[in-house]
Amino acid sequence: MVIWFGRGSTVKEAENRTIYALHKDQLPDNYPSMIQSSICDSQALLPALNASRCIKSPHEISLIRRAVELSSIAHRGVLHHITGLRNEAQIHALFVDICIAHGAKHQGYPPIVASGTHASTLHYAKNDQPLKGRGLVCMDAGSEWENYSSDITRTFPISAKGWASKESEEIYAIVEEMQECCIRGLKPGVRYLDLHLLAHRIAVEGLMRLGILHQNDVDEVIKKGASQAFFPHGLGHFIGLEVHDVSRHPLMGLAGARPDMNDLREYREILGGLGGEEEVMGYKVPCTVRSPLLAPNMVLTVEPGIYFSKYALDKIYLPKPEIARCISQEVLQRYMHVGGVRIEDDILITEDGYENLTTAPKGEEMLRVIREGAECGHGADLVTESQQIALSQTEQV
């Protein structure tokens, strides 16, 4: 089969015309001296390209499915061996090792392995601290398969006995409820921001039950921005060739809304927003705010979390009287050691609902895998007695 694209333009024909490219680096090395009177536009084609990437083809879905499958295997492997690991670096290394052993040689992004209070840092990068004395680990890691990424987060205890504290278990239960309820709401035609709002409501209700938030009006707490102190990021994002993949319109925007429309005013009132009238939940509100309603063959994440960041609370949220009045600082201090809990799955939107592509254990299954790994002694295979002695000496130094 022969496809004829035409002979192209000569230099003379290209003069006084716009040259379109997806990226500036695709232009000739000697541009613009070669065609001085022409104009290069590297932006006009992006909306169409981004829109086409939002809906995945069957082949793309198969590649993402494979990436998620291998990452789920690696997450399970870490859980199985966690009781024999001594620091964040070993967790990082084991995850990557399992991915490579299954043919996934590249990660979609640098793994986040945050133990204890480090889990309050959303994009923690050190991955080198000892696990001793820390109750849990938040691991956000996903491999690529043929350039398509996965993105999975699990938060888990490091002991076969389960959660190190009642507070950690309670926060995990709230985040688990946030994720399960939001996933159940996924289907074509749904506005993703509505699920984001649902996650905030569940978070507020749960934190009220624990006494961390001592206001009785859920809407009022959200309106004042107090829920942002504990759930400061979006519910999720598209995934594909990029771990945060592109789309024609932002997933967290308002479909077809304008600042003078009632639905935008309603969302601004519910969400509050620390950035004033120009921001809602940290997301910019331009003149035309658009968001794609969910459609079949979109692939996205659902990743709610609750965090106890000392820096964010002390420097950003508690200095605001309207937020400080919603939070019981006495109760809050009992939960600061938790650090943070996030659970993230990769979801395919189908014709009539969704398919959760992620099989990495969570909840009770996660705890069972940790116990079984400890019982069969697999953790001991990873670190020999002599290596443990050497590691102990290094940590003491």
Side-chain angles (χ1 to χ4, degrees), residues 14-20 27 31 35-42:
E15 290 178 348
N16 300 314
R17 294 186 180 182
T18 300
I19 297 176
Y20 295 97
L27 294 168
Y31 176 86
I35 312 175
Q36 296 183 3
S37 60
S38 64
I39 299 172
C40 171
D41 188 335
S42 60

Side-chain angles (χ1 to χ4, degrees), residues 73-353:
I73 291 172
H75 273 273
R76 179 180 290 272
V78 168
L79 294 173
H80 191 73
H81 291 282
I82 186 60
T83 59
L85 304 180
R86 297 175 60 84
N87 57 49
E88 295 166 351
Q90 290 181 347
I91 297 174
H92 182 157
L94 178 57
F95 182 89
V96 174
D97 177 65
I98 296 173
C99 290
I100 293 175
H102 285 80
K105 297 182 179 180
H106 302 286
Q107 297 295 300
Y109 53 97
I112 298 168
V113 183
S115 60
T117 55
H118 297 144
S120 66
T121 301
L122 299 185
H123 291 98
Y124 177 77
K126 291 184 69 175
N127 293 5
D128 63 359
Q129 296 299 294
L131 300 181
K132 185 176 181 180
R134 306 181 192 277
L136 58 75
V137 171
C138 179
M139 182 172 71
D140 187 334
S143 68
E144 288 184 354
W145 186 259
E146 295 188 16
N147 298 317
Y148 281 81
S149 184
S150 59
D151 190 0
I152 301 172
T153 304
R154 291 294 181 262
T155 305
F156 48 88
I158 61 175
S159 169
K161 297 179 181 179
W163 297 105
S165 68
K166 176 175 67 72
E167 292 81 6
S168 297
E169 185 174 11
E170 289 170 340
I171 297 302
Y172 185 91
I174 295 173
V175 176
E176 189 175 34
E177 181 184 1
M178 292 164 69
Q179 195 204 34
E180 289 177 351
C181 289
C182 289
I183 289 177
R184 285 198 298 268
L186 294 170
K187 62 180 180 180
V190 167
R191 179 181 286 177
Y192 195 74
L193 185 57
D194 288 331
L195 299 178
H196 177 75
L197 285 169
L198 174 62
H200 271 268
R201 295 189 66 86
I202 295 171
V204 169
E205 291 168 355
L207 294 175
M208 283 180 173
R209 289 194 300 270
L210 300 181
I212 297 173
L213 294 172
H214 53 61
Q215 296 283 341
N216 294 322
D217 190 330
V218 173
D219 290 332
E220 189 66 19
V221 169
I222 295 176
K223 181 179 178 180
K224 291 179 178 178
S227 59
Q228 297 178 56
F230 304 100
F231 180 25
H233 59 76
L235 180 63
H237 53 83
F238 291 117
I239 57 173
L241 286 170
E242 301 288 343
V243 65
H244 285 221
D245 211 13
V246 298
S247 60
R248 177 68 183 272
H249 303 299
L251 182 61
M252 294 296 297
L254 296 175
R258 297 190 308 273
D260 62 337
M261 292 176 66
N262 289 331
D263 58 351
L264 181 54
R265 286 201 298 271
E266 178 185 355
Y267 276 94
R268 177 179 284 125
E269 179 180 298
I270 293 174
L271 293 169
L274 300 177
E277 289 299 311
E278 303 307 318
E279 291 190 24
V280 175
M281 290 296 291
Y283 297 94
K284 298 293 183 182
V285 182
C287 293
T288 57
V289 185
R290 292 185 177 274
S291 170
L293 299 181
L294 297 184
N297 296 333
M298 288 179 173
V299 184
L300 48 82
T301 69
V302 177
E303 51 178 305
I306 292 178
Y307 310 87
F308 297 90
S309 169
K310 178 174 173 56
Y311 178 86
L313 287 165
D314 290 347
K315 300 295 184 181
I316 301 174
Y317 297 106
L318 291 178
K320 299 182 180 296
E322 67 274 18
I323 292 180
R325 285 193 291 269
C326 296
I327 299 174
S328 171
Q329 297 193 42
E330 179 182 354
V331 178
L332 174 64
Q333 293 308 311
R334 300 207 306 265
Y335 287 83
M336 292 300 294
H337 72 276
V338 174
V341 172
R342 181 168 66 256
I343 310 172
E344 178 181 20
D345 286 353
D346 299 338
I347 312 292
L348 168 67
I349 304 301
T350 62
E351 293 291 340
D352 56 358

Side-chain angles (χ1 to χ4, degrees), residues 84 86 90 379-393:
R86 297 175 60 84
Q90 290 181 347
D381 297 336
L382 297 174
V383 184
T384 65
E385 182 176 357
S386 61
Q387 288 173 325
Q388 289 180 1
I389 295 172
L391 286 168
S392 297
Q393 293 172 343

